[in-house]
């Protein structure tokens, strides 16, 4: 496994980091708790030392699963990355809209990053994660109802109190990141990035590169689309958000699968899966520090971890990049 420092910090994380959104079940058509735990433990066994989660993933379920999975491991060998700023238990902040929890109960989501809310959320996450500190604490989404200065004054206080080691952001623009940095050192930005979704290559990734800020690429496999296993007519479980997600429209699936067919010979040459090729390409991309890779079971987790072992030549990367530009 490769390990990399986030930005200019001393926080060293695994290049393939376990993404625990799907493990929480929410928006993924539920979860099998035991399989999720086994997936995380299989990752740990192969050197995946970093786990990214959030309170909203299953309304606490994902963080609880992470705690159970890492029990018995040396805490200082594992990096817990979690978030704040998405509430389902209050009617405050920026309205996101209706959703359902894992039991099918109606909930309403808000983006809330007030000082009081952040302090409260941190305490709740520490309890669910059964730890006394969080390695990287990230705002989940910008909250337009709270000044950025107020949010990161609270985060800076948590750092001072020893509750968190480092602060990060998610889904922030370069301008928002600069504003947050005026109040609290920011070591990373977690943003969507994949072969089919490269919008952040225009500004955010170059900005982070220039300012020595780590980039955590989420959805690098575009929620399963880039595995090559998604076909037109795919039936998703009830509550699985991918059923209406834009990249899962028939024309997008066809175009993506045609592209994957063209890069498959490179995967075959290395004796690896398309998923492993996609993850390796992602962590080789300029400006990307780590790729967040979700897994529903141990088999998927093992496959993801081994993507770090792959060595792509410069010519192969350039070939993939040319095909991305022409096909996607």
């Amino acid at each position: 496994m490769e390990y990399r420092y986030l930005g200019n910090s001393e926080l060293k994380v695994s290049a393939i980091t376990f993404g625990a959104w799907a493990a929480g079940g929410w928006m993924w058509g539920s979860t099998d708790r035991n399989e999720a735990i086994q997936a995380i433990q299989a990752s740990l066994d192969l050197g995946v030392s970093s786990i990214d989660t959030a309170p909203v993933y299953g309304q606490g379920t994902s963080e609880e699963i992470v705690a159970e999975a890492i029990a018995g491991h040396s805490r200082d060998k594992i990096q817990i990355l979690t978030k704040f700023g998405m509430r389902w238990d209050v009617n405050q902040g920026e309205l996101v809209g209706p959703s359902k929890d894992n039991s099918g109960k109606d909930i309403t989501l808000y983006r809330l990053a007030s000082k009081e809310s952040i302090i409260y959320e941190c305490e709740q996450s520490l309890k669910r994660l059964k730890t006394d500190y969080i390695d990287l604490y990230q705002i989940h989404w910008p909250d337009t109802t709270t000044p950025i200065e107020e949010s990161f004054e609270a985060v800076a206080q948590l750092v001072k109190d020893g509750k968190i080691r480092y602060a990060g952001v998610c889904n922030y623009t370069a301008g928002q990141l600069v504003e947050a940095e005026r109040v609290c050192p920011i070591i990373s930005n977690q943003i969507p990035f994949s072969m089919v979704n490269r919008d952040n290559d225009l500004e955010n990734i170059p900005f982070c590169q220039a300012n020595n800020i780590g980039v955590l690429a989420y959805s690098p496999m575009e929620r399963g689309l880039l595995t090559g296993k998604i076909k037109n007519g795919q039936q998703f479980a009830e509550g699985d958000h991918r059923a209406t997600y834009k990249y899962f429209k028939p024309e997008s699936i066809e175009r993506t699968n045609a592209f994957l067919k063209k890069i498959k010979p490179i995967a075959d040459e290395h004796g690896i899966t398309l998923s492993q090729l996609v993850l390796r390409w992602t962590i080789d991309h300029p400006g990307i520090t780590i790729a967040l890779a979700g897994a529903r079971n141990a088999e998927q987790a093992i496959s993801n971890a081994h993507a770090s072992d792959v060595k792509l030549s410069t010519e192969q990367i350039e070939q993939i990049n040319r095909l991305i530009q022409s096909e996607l």
Side-chain angles (χ1 to χ4, degrees):
M1 178 57 61
E2 277 182 55
Y3 302 93
R4 301 173 175 180
Y5 287 103
L6 273 184
N8 60 1
S9 76
E10 295 182 1
L11 183 60
K12 204 172 190 179
V13 292
S14 50
I16 303 296
T17 287
F18 191 96
W21 179 14
W26 176 70
M27 293 183 72
W28 289 87
S30 78
T31 189
D32 183 308
R33 194 180 188 94
N34 288 333
E35 287 205 336
I37 290 168
Q38 289 167 13
I40 294 171
Q41 291 174 338
S43 297
L44 294 171
D45 289 344
L46 291 173
V48 174
S49 62
S50 314
I51 305 167
D52 180 84
T53 182
V56 77
Y57 299 160
Q59 294 70 59
T61 301
S62 179
E63 288 186 327
E64 291 169 355
I65 285 172
V66 169
E68 195 168 341
I70 68 174
H73 288 77
S74 297
R75 177 66 182 87
D76 62 349
K77 304 295 184 189
I78 295 170
Q79 302 83 50
I80 296 176
L81 290 48
T82 194
K83 308 180 185 78
F84 64 89
M86 287 285 286
R87 300 287 298 269
W88 64 93
D89 53 341
V90 295
N91 298 321
Q92 290 177 257
E94 180 182 347
L95 176 66
V96 176
S99 186
K100 290 183 182 294
D101 66 13
N102 285 345
S103 67
K105 178 185 173 184
D106 290 332
I107 56 175
T108 303
L109 300 177
Y110 291 85
R111 295 177 184 171
L112 179 62
S114 66
K115 182 175 183 179
E116 180 183 11
S117 182
I118 292 168
I119 301 300
Y120 171 80
E121 279 204 83
C122 185
E123 292 299 331
Q124 297 309 303
S125 286
L126 290 170
K127 288 176 185 176
R128 286 189 291 261
L129 290 162
K130 296 182 179 178
T131 185
D132 54 5
Y133 70 94
I134 291 161
D135 294 279
L136 180 67
Y137 204 40
Q138 310 158 94
I139 187 166
H140 206 146
W141 285 93
D143 165 26
T144 60
T145 68
T146 305
I148 288 175
E149 181 180 10
E150 176 185 336
S151 299
F152 284 91
E153 282 176 353
V155 175
Q157 185 62 49
L158 290 171
V159 174
K160 186 178 179 181
D161 293 343
K163 301 289 180 70
I164 65 175
R165 293 179 63 197
Y166 295 100
V169 299
C170 305
N171 304 297
Y172 257 39
T173 64
Q176 290 167 328
L177 216 163
V178 168
E179 199 172 337
E181 276 244 281
R182 293 194 187 110
V183 185
C184 177
I186 305 296
I187 68 167
S188 61
N189 193 3
Q190 183 176 149
I191 47 181
F193 180 77
S194 73
M195 289 176 169
V196 298
N197 180 7
R198 305 182 306 283
D199 292 348
N200 278 305
D201 241 352
L202 300 175
E203 180 187 22
N204 274 344
I205 293 173
F207 176 84
C208 289
Q209 272 186 287
N211 292 277
N212 199 13
I213 293 168
V215 173
L216 290 66
Y218 74 79
S219 297
M221 292 190 288
E222 208 51 70
R223 310 177 197 209
L225 179 65
L226 289 165
T227 64
K229 297 175 182 177
I230 304 294
K231 311 297 181 187
N232 270 333
Q234 181 89 20
Q235 296 297 307
F236 294 103
E238 186 178 352
D240 192 321
H241 72 287
R242 292 176 295 176
T244 56
Y245 188 51
K246 64 180 180 179
Y247 290 114
F248 288 81
K249 301 295 184 186
E251 61 275 12
S252 175
I253 292 173
E254 284 184 21
R255 183 171 62 251
T256 304
N257 283 343
F259 160 77
L260 291 173
K261 189 175 180 180
K262 291 185 177 181
I263 66 170
K264 191 173 186 303
I266 299 175
D268 293 342
E269 186 177 334
H270 287 274
I272 60 176
T273 65
L274 280 168
S275 298
Q276 290 169 325
L277 178 63
V278 169
L279 285 174
R280 183 70 244 187
W281 174 88
T282 304
I283 59 175
D284 280 340
H285 190 79
I288 300 297
T289 312
I290 64 172
L292 302 179
R296 302 296 290 268
N297 53 53
E299 182 183 4
Q300 291 175 0
I302 290 167
S303 174
N304 292 343
H306 282 305
S308 174
D309 304 333
V310 180
K311 302 299 177 190
L312 297 176
S313 69
T314 301
E315 293 75 18
Q316 288 171 328
I317 292 172
E318 289 175 349
Q319 181 185 350
I320 292 170
N321 289 341
R322 284 194 298 271
L323 286 167
I324 288 172
Q325 292 298 331
S326 63
E327 305 294 323
L328 296 176

